[in-house]
Amino acid sequence: MHENSLLPENALLYESGLEPVATPAWPAPGEYALLGARDSLLVVDLHGDLDLATATPLREWLDSVVALRAPAYVVDLRRTTFIDSTGLNAVLRFRRRVREYEAGFAVVCAPRTVRLLRAHGTLDLLDPAPGLPEAASRIAGR
């Protein structure tokens, strides 16, 4: 990855201590996902709308992320603006696939997303953390 090719969104990764992970062989993530690494975690930063229109490419991209076989993954939903049942299903599918090979998994989200998870009945299953440090602690303590 060339320094000139960094997207403006990657500035957020650097500010949070994450380093972007190059993804040339993966399906294009679209405008809704970034991938960064921090302390042996792969952080999937999802943003924008996660809905029927984005679910198929998102699932394909998340499948390619699972194929990396990282020791732990964090899905960051704090910058999502909308999540419908198909978007939530993509996150749940990703969680299941990560857990199949016994990697760590955590979700980070904002209070508005906590309400959505509660309404969908997935709050206890995903048990979201408020930030990346808390998510890393939960994974380490599993």
Side-chain angles (χ1 to χ4, degrees):
M1 179 181 295
H2 299 323
E3 219 173 85
N4 297 354
S5 68
L6 293 177
L7 299 172
E9 293 90 6
N10 285 349
L12 293 171
L13 292 175
Y14 287 117
E15 288 173 10
S16 63
L18 298 173
E19 296 182 22
V21 175
T23 61
W26 301 342
E31 296 181 8
Y32 51 79
L34 292 172
L35 184 69
R38 177 182 184 169
D39 303 328
S40 300
L41 300 174
L42 277 182
V43 179
V44 177
D45 178 16
L46 301 178
H47 57 278
D49 292 349
L50 305 181
D51 56 15
L52 184 59
T54 61
T56 298
L58 177 61
R59 265 192 316 271
E60 291 173 0
W61 184 71
L62 290 173
D63 286 349
S64 69
V65 173
V66 169
L68 293 173
R69 300 292 191 243
Y73 297 86
V74 175
V75 175
D76 190 342
L77 298 173
R78 290 178 292 183
R79 295 192 309 139
T80 56
T81 52
F82 176 78
I83 304 173
D84 71 5
S85 59
T86 55
L88 184 57
N89 187 50
V91 172
L92 292 169
R93 182 177 185 271
F94 180 65
R95 177 191 177 274
R96 179 182 47 81
R97 296 206 57 223
V98 165
R99 289 282 178 93
E100 284 175 355
Y101 72 91
E102 300 179 2
F105 180 85
V107 171
V108 174
C109 68
R112 70 182 182 281
T113 308
V114 169
R115 288 190 298 273
L116 173 89
L117 297 177
R118 183 177 294 115
H120 278 99
T122 56
L123 182 62
D124 291 338
L125 179 67
L126 292 176
D127 189 26
L132 291 175
E134 296 87 354
S137 294
R138 288 181 186 184
I139 289 172
R142 67 176 175 117

